[in-house]
Amino acid sequence: MEHIKSNKKVPFLPQDIPFNDDQRQWLGGFLAGLHTRLLVKEEHVSTTSAPQQQVKPITIIYGSQTGNAEGVAEEAAEIAKNHGLSPVVLDMDDAELTQLSQAERLLVITSTYGEGEMPDNAQALWDDITSDTAPRFDKTYFSVLALGDTNYDDFCLAGIQWDERLEALGATRIADRVDCDVAFESPAQEWIAETLPTIAQKGSNGQSEVIPTSAPVATKKAKPKFTRENPFEAELINAYTLNKPGSGKETCHYEFSLLDSKEVYDAGDAINLIPVNRADLVEELIALLGARPEQQEQHDGHTLELQTIFSEHLEIRIPSKEFVAEVAARSGDAQFIAKLEEDAQALNDFIWGLDCVDLLRKYAPNAFTASDFIRLSKPLAPRAYSISSSIKKHDNQVHLTIASVRYEQENRAHNGVCSTFLADVCKPGDKVKCYFAPNKHFSVPEDQSAPIIMVGPGTGIAPFRGFLEERAATEASGDNWLFFGDRQKSCDFLYQEELEQMQQSGLLTRLDLAFSRDQAQKVYVQDKMQEQGAELFSWLERGAYFYVCGDAFRMAKDVDKALHDVIAKHGSFDEAEAQAYVASLKKQKRYVRDVY
């Protein structure tokens, strides 16, 4: 059925409307949703009397590391049907570039991972589209939605690059790219509401396009019942420290009840926790601003006590870029001001480890009011953690493995927002607001006979505890190999008793350990991979899935290099052949990462 053109224009907010940014964002999302519902109603009425015609194809591709971009892509696809469009949603790993270039209507939704990198599932397609032999996109109408976090220097870089590359290849942009911060839901809805009616009017009416995919259609995961705007409250039922005395770390195991929510999850999923800022930090900040806890301030269209705003609504520990720039400007400190003009890394090095209180004390005492601080701060963001349990073993429970962030700087104790909220504030019986984040690709193989290799040092062990519990509960016959590492075996061997019992039972086929400080020369999981390279390659050759979880900036890169080296050496491949082998693993969803 061809979309019947609506006389309802996409709602927009005038630039001079007297609302703050949060109010504008909320109202924009509300109007976007209302606009979509009106179009649905109008189309329903129109189709009762209009003859059915062919719908127009639209291709929606997503690059996603944690599932947010995938969720937006699926939402856009559902709404596209209301505009006379026939959507195909594709993981970028499943898209074939030659066929993609023939798509008349294309939406790109991508997050940015790590230091301005493409998500894992987008890298191969990005390499293809940036090659000298990439086809032209002269017939394509497109728009890009970018997801990111303004705390990172290369904010939304992946989306920016896709936007620029498609234009360079001749594609026609029908709506400006939208760059979303952590609170992406409302701007994403606005982008969908603006883009779909416009792109529906472009291109031909027929359904002659070849669906640009080489992969079978994936089973769509059920949408979680709870969201950031509508979280559920999970009761903390148990908590204990995993490290033994003598460790320089504090890694804790937490168990939450799901009974009141009736919510479920899959092994490999993540959960978002919504913390409350520490009372001591709130008190310090209020005092520095010369304010009172009970004084009334405006935030997000509401008048609230400052104590409530700082405790529950704002990111008060990690300074926003806007706050850093304003502190520098008001400080009069020539060196600080000069760093703003240098590259981002120079500024990051200059203020490394400093929180909002440090910056105010050191550079701008008495220079900010409470309302200034509110205006320059970001919303308190949920913290995502990999789930470390299988619901098949722990009915109506979800378990987490979290390292407490604590350090000393500027003669002050610094504490992680969520990790020490759980460790120091929450007690069994307390409830924590949260919601699940499905991770479709980071899960145990559907083929229960397939071997799996898991690399998870430190808290990277979390999802693999869940994987092993899942494999045991389903009586999967495939072999299981875990590489685990930390500092010292005597005090940092997380879940030691559980893992050793899994070994004894035969569930854990192999367990390779790397404790970096137990010998003169440090040994890491990537070193153990190299040592066992021949066996590791033989597992890959018989269809093993390779998983990595943990630190994105060092460990994951070192493990990736070790994997390439192992494949090149034991497969007798040159560098290009080894890269092609790894690319094939990724394409088959047999090399996946959950890194942070």
Side-chain angles (χ1 to χ4, degrees):
M1 176 193 64
E2 183 179 355
H3 177 67
I4 297 171
K5 188 172 181 180
S6 171
N7 59 7
K8 294 180 176 65
K9 295 182 179 179
V10 178
F12 71 96
L13 300 178
Q15 292 299 316
D16 58 352
I17 192 168
F19 294 151
N20 62 32
D21 289 342
D22 289 330
Q23 291 169 322
R24 288 173 59 86
Q25 187 180 84
W26 181 90
L27 186 56
F30 171 78
L31 291 174
L34 180 61
H35 174 70
T36 297
R37 286 193 290 274
L38 287 171
L39 285 174
V40 172
K41 183 176 180 182
E42 179 186 82
E43 184 167 309
H44 174 73
V45 171
S46 300
T47 54
T48 59
S49 56
Q52 288 196 351
Q53 299 178 19
Q54 278 193 314
V55 291
K56 300 179 179 181
I58 182 170
T59 302
I60 304 171
I61 61 173
Y62 65 85
S64 186
Q65 197 72 28
T66 61
N68 288 335
E70 180 181 6
V72 176
E74 289 174 348
E75 181 180 354
E78 287 301 311
I79 297 173
K81 297 172 186 175
N82 302 325
H83 295 275
L85 296 166
S86 175
V88 173
V89 178
L90 292 175
D91 181 318
M92 286 188 182
D93 257 344
D94 295 334
E96 296 291 345
L97 184 62
T98 302
Q99 293 176 345
L100 195 66
S101 67
Q102 300 304 308
E104 288 188 296
R105 286 162 288 271
L106 177 64
L107 299 184
V108 178
I109 303 168
T110 185
S111 60
T112 297
Y113 150 73
E115 301 172 82
E117 301 169 31
M118 291 289 160
D120 283 349
N121 76 314
Q123 189 60 55
L125 185 63
W126 178 248
D127 291 343
D128 288 346
I129 203 170
T130 52
S131 71
D132 293 338
T133 58
R136 297 285 298 173
F137 278 70
D138 296 317
K139 300 177 182 177
T140 302
Y141 297 93
F142 81 98
S143 185
V144 174
L145 180 74
L147 306 184
D149 183 342
T150 51
N151 280 326
Y152 289 89
D153 295 324
D154 294 314
F155 174 60
C156 287
L157 181 60
I160 293 168
Q161 291 176 329
W162 269 98
D163 192 43
E164 293 174 347
R165 183 57 178 164
L166 284 169
E167 183 180 46
L169 290 173
T172 302
R173 185 184 297 104
I174 55 91
D176 289 341
R177 184 189 72 251
V178 171
D179 297 336
C180 302
D181 203 351
V182 175
F184 64 88
E185 292 85 356
S186 289
Q189 288 174 2
E190 291 184 58
W191 175 79
I192 290 170
E194 177 187 356
T195 302
L196 288 174
T198 306
I199 206 167
Q201 306 305 317
K202 304 295 183 181
S204 63
N205 295 328
Q207 208 166 6
S208 58
E209 292 181 30
V210 177
I211 296 175
T213 178
S214 60
V217 177
T219 304
K220 187 176 171 182
K221 223 177 200 183
K223 237 181 162 181
K225 296 191 291 284
F226 297 94
T227 64
R228 177 174 178 164
E229 291 76 22
N230 177 39
F232 69 92
E233 294 188 344
E235 180 183 344
L236 178 63
I237 54 178
N238 194 19
Y240 55 86
T241 303
L242 291 165
N243 307 93
K244 294 181 174 66
S247 174
K249 293 183 171 184
E250 180 186 72
T251 309
C252 299
H253 174 87
Y254 300 98
E255 299 175 2
F256 292 90
S257 170
L258 301 177
L259 278 174
D260 293 338
S261 71
K262 296 183 174 59
E263 186 69 294
V264 296
Y265 61 89
D266 290 334
D269 285 351
I271 193 168
N272 292 288
L273 303 185
I274 302 176
V276 174
N277 284 313
R278 293 172 62 98
D280 53 358
L281 183 62
V282 172
E283 184 179 337
E284 276 187 291
L285 182 58
I286 289 175
L288 264 178
L289 294 170
R292 294 169 291 106
E294 69 277 9
Q295 80 182 47
Q296 304 283 305
E297 293 288 347
Q298 284 286 314
H299 172 66
D300 198 20
H302 300 282
T303 301
L304 301 169
E305 287 190 352
L306 194 58
Q307 178 83 28
T308 301
I309 296 173
F310 282 3
S311 298
E312 302 176 19
H313 297 284
L314 289 185
E315 191 74 63
I316 66 169
R317 194 183 91 80
I318 303 170
S320 69
K321 289 185 176 181
E322 295 78 10
F323 179 71
V324 170
E326 192 64 24
V327 169
R330 297 188 189 189
S331 71
D333 185 287
Q335 186 180 14
F336 194 175
I337 294 169
K339 293 297 177 184
L340 294 176
E341 304 300 321
E342 297 182 35
D343 59 54
Q345 189 58 51
L347 178 61
N348 289 342
D349 292 343
F350 185 73
I351 63 170
W352 185 88
L354 301 181
D355 65 8
C356 292
V357 167
D358 292 328
L359 289 172
L360 286 172
R361 279 184 172 173
K362 190 170 183 177
Y363 295 105
N366 308 313
F368 286 79
T369 64
S371 60
D372 289 336
F373 186 86
I374 292 169
R375 176 175 53 84
L376 294 164
S377 298
K378 293 176 65 174
L380 181 59
R383 268 56 176 178
Y385 295 102
S386 302
I387 293 170
S388 57
S389 57
S390 166
I391 203 167
K392 292 182 175 68
K393 178 170 182 178
H394 306 281
D395 189 35
N396 285 314
Q397 289 186 17
V398 59
H399 297 181
L400 301 176
T401 307
I402 300 174
S404 302
V405 176
R406 305 181 193 275
Y407 62 94
E408 294 281 334
Q409 191 164 338
E410 297 293 319
N411 298 313
R412 289 179 59 240
H414 292 67
N415 300 286
V417 175
C418 194
S419 63
T420 64
F421 164 67
L422 293 174
D424 300 345
V425 179
C426 293
K427 308 297 179 193
D430 290 347
K431 293 188 175 182
V432 177
K433 293 179 179 179
C434 54
Y435 57 98
F436 286 109
N439 195 347
K440 184 176 72 178
H441 296 311
F442 200 85
S443 57
V444 295
E446 290 185 11
D447 178 2
Q448 295 192 350
S449 67
I452 64 173
I453 304 167
M454 301 162 283
V455 182
T459 55
I461 187 67
F464 303 136
R465 178 178 182 262
F467 278 21
L468 290 166
E469 290 182 347
E470 183 87 2
R471 298 272 272 190
T474 57
E475 299 182 346
S477 60
D479 291 333
N480 305 302
W481 185 354
L482 174 66
F483 288 89
F484 173 75
D486 213 310
R487 291 180 180 175
Q488 298 172 284
K489 184 174 182 179
S490 61
C491 51
D492 297 317
F493 192 168
L494 308 183
Y495 299 111
Q496 179 176 359
E497 293 77 12
E498 290 185 24
L499 293 175
E500 289 176 345
Q501 198 228 343
M502 289 175 181
Q503 253 193 310
Q504 291 167 9
S505 71
L507 173 65
L508 192 48
T509 313
R510 292 198 57 144
L511 176 61
D512 279 80
L513 303 170
F515 293 101
S516 60
R517 300 188 183 183
D518 278 353
Q519 59 283 309
Q521 185 172 354
K522 291 184 178 179
V523 176
Y524 298 104
V525 287
Q526 60 267 25
D527 300 314
K528 290 294 182 180
M529 286 172 55
Q530 298 271 20
E531 284 180 18
Q532 304 299 329
E535 183 71 6
L536 196 158
F537 182 70
S538 74
W539 278 49
L540 293 175
E541 284 289 273
R542 62 187 178 95
Y545 286 65
F546 187 82
Y547 301 90
V548 183
C549 182
D551 169 55
F553 295 99
R554 290 190 179 178
M555 182 278 295
K557 292 177 181 178
D558 292 339
V559 166
D560 185 73
K561 182 179 184 305
L563 179 63
H564 279 80
D565 291 345
V566 163
I567 289 168
K569 179 178 179 181
H570 298 283
S572 299
F573 297 140
D574 61 25
E575 184 179 348
E577 290 169 332
Q579 289 176 349
Y581 191 103
V582 172
S584 177
L585 290 177
K586 290 180 177 179
K587 192 87 169 176
Q588 298 171 61
K589 306 296 187 293
R590 287 176 49 213
Y591 175 18
V592 290
R593 305 191 296 176
D594 177 12
V595 294
Y596 39 84

